Amino acid sequence: MVQSPFLRIGTRGSALALAQAHQVRALLAAAHAVGEEEIDIEIIRTSGDMIQDRPLSEAGGKGLFTKEIEEALLRGGIDLAVHSSKDMPTVLPAGLGLTAFLAREDVRDAFIGHAVARLADLPGAAVVGSASLRRQAQIRRERPDLETVLFRGNVPTRLDKVRRGEVAGTLLAMAGLKRLGLADRATEIIAADRFLPAVGQGAIGIETRLDDTRTRDLIAPLNDQDTETALRVERAFLKVLDGSCRTPIAGLARIEAGRILFDGEILRPDGSESFRVVRTGGLAEAESLGHDAGIELKARAPADVLVHV
C-alpha cells in the first residue's frame, strides 16, 4: 500500500525556486521529526517561465509566475506553495493566502560586472541587462548615460550571459545569489538606501488554502513574525498604488527595537524623477502604515507618473 506524503510542496522549476522549496522542506521535516523524503516537491511550469521573449508586463504581470501553482493549490494537487514574495501579486485568488514567511534574507541588490566591478565604473553607453523595471529606473537615475535592456532567464543563465560579455553587467537579488551558493559572483553589493529593493525582496512566502487548518498548523513553526509584519507593511503600500510589473515601485520595511521603519519609492521609468516616503510606527500599525504611505505618494506624485501605476 502506497503511503501518502506528509505534505506536498508546489514550486517553479528554476534553480532558485527549487533551492527555496528544499529549504522549506528541510525546515518542515526538522520541525515535525519526519524524513525529508516524506515531503514531496512538485515542479509546476508557469506561464512566466514559458514567456522569455518580452517583458512580463506586456503579458499579464506578476501573476504569471504563480497562476498554475495556485490552480494546483486550489484543486488540492498540492498542500502549499513556496514563492519568492516579490513575485506575488497583492490580490490573491479567493481562498488562498500567504500564511507564513521564513526569516528574511539579505534585501540588497548586487551588481555583477563583466569587465568592471562597480556600476559607477561602467563606461558611458555601456549596456546593463535587467528584467526589473524598478532596477532599470534606478540604474537610469544614477547613470542616465547607460543603456538598459530586457534580460530574462534564471539566475545561472543571466550570470552566464554576463560572463560571456553579452552585457556589461546586471543586477540580481543578493538573497537569491546566497541561496544558490553564488554570493561570490557579486562584484558590488548595493546599499538598500541607494537602490531601495522590490516589495518582498529576500523573503520566502508560503501560500496555502485558507481553510486548510492542518497545513497551516504544520507551517506555523516556520513563520518569522518580524518578516510577516514587514511584508504586511510593504504589500499594503503596493496595493494602494496598484503596483504591477509595469510600475517602478520599491519598498522596504524593517523592524528595529519593536518599531516599524518603512521607506517607499516610486520612479519614472526613465529614472528622471523619483518620489520617496518614510514612515515609522508601532507593530500593530503595519497595514495602516503601509496604506498611508501609499496614499501619500499617490497624492504627491504628478498625474503623468501615476499613469504608470
Side-chain angles (χ1 to χ4, degrees):
M1 186 173 180
V2 178
Q3 185 176 357
S4 298
F6 180 71
L7 280 169
R8 298 162 299 165
I9 298 173
T11 178
R12 295 168 59 206
S14 71
L16 179 56
L18 287 170
Q20 294 177 164
H22 281 276
Q23 183 179 351
V24 170
R25 180 168 75 171
L27 290 169
L28 283 168
H32 301 292
V34 300
E36 290 188 31
E37 69 280 359
E38 296 179 52
I39 301 173
D40 284 355
I41 292 180
E42 304 286 344
I43 297 174
I44 299 170
R45 196 171 187 212
T46 70
S47 301
D49 296 311
M50 292 180 264
I51 298 169
Q52 295 292 324
D53 60 344
R54 61 194 189 276
L56 292 180
S57 58
E58 297 177 5
K62 287 185 179 182
L64 294 172
F65 279 132
T66 61
K67 179 176 179 288
E68 288 80 4
I69 297 174
E70 290 173 329
E71 288 171 351
L73 194 53
L74 285 167
R75 68 172 177 263
I78 56 175
D79 301 307
L80 63 145
V82 176
H83 302 286
S84 294
S85 295
K86 68 183 179 65
D87 291 337
M88 298 299 290
T90 55
V91 178
L92 303 181
L96 301 182
L98 285 168
T99 50
F101 298 92
L102 302 194
R104 201 170 202 171
E105 242 293 359
D106 198 324
V107 301
R108 296 172 295 176
D109 282 330
F111 176 70
I112 299 94
H114 172 67
V116 301
R118 301 186 308 155
L119 184 66
D121 295 335
L122 288 173
V127 177
V128 180
S130 177
S132 161
L133 292 188
R134 170 191 64 86
R135 289 180 180 134
Q136 289 183 10
Q138 290 170 332
I139 291 165
R140 291 167 180 156
R141 175 178 60 191
E142 187 165 296
R143 290 289 309 274
D145 59 321
L146 299 178
E147 180 184 351
T148 59
V149 297
L150 177 67
F151 206 51
R152 295 291 310 282
N154 60 33
V155 171
T157 298
R158 295 186 211 187
L159 291 175
D160 282 344
K161 288 179 178 180
V162 174
R163 180 182 53 79
R164 293 195 299 266
E166 293 185 22
V167 292
T170 190
L171 291 178
L172 295 171
M174 195 64 199
L177 292 175
K178 287 184 174 181
R179 289 179 182 131
L180 289 171
L182 297 170
D184 61 341
R185 296 293 297 275
T187 57
E188 178 187 18
I189 301 174
I190 299 176
D193 59 355
R194 178 178 159 203
F195 275 36
L196 200 63
V199 163
Q201 186 158 308
I204 294 174
I206 301 176
E207 187 178 22
T208 66
R209 294 181 294 277
L210 293 175
D211 63 359
D212 184 357
T213 55
R214 174 184 179 268
T215 299
R216 293 186 64 176
D217 288 344
L218 288 171
I219 67 170
L222 276 58
N223 189 53
D224 181 79
Q225 190 60 57
D226 282 355
T227 302
E228 179 187 349
T229 300
L231 266 290
R232 284 170 55 207
V233 178
E234 294 171 22
R235 287 174 62 78
F237 169 74
L238 189 62
K239 188 174 182 179
V240 168
L241 296 170
D242 294 326
S244 71
C245 287
R246 294 178 182 273
T247 312
I249 293 175
L252 176 64
R254 290 162 291 185
I255 313 300
E256 295 183 11
R259 299 278 293 173
I260 298 168
L261 309 178
F262 176 73
D263 287 276
E265 181 177 52
I266 183 169
L267 305 95
R268 289 190 185 274
D270 65 2
S272 61
E273 259 188 306
S274 61
F275 305 87
R276 199 153 176 171
V277 63
V278 176
R279 281 281 194 283
T280 62
L283 301 182
E285 304 172 73
E287 289 178 11
S288 62
L289 189 150
H291 176 87
D292 290 348
I295 293 292
E296 179 184 330
L297 269 193
K298 206 167 187 177
R300 282 173 43 203
D304 63 327
V305 174
L306 295 175
V307 167
H308 298 283
V309 179

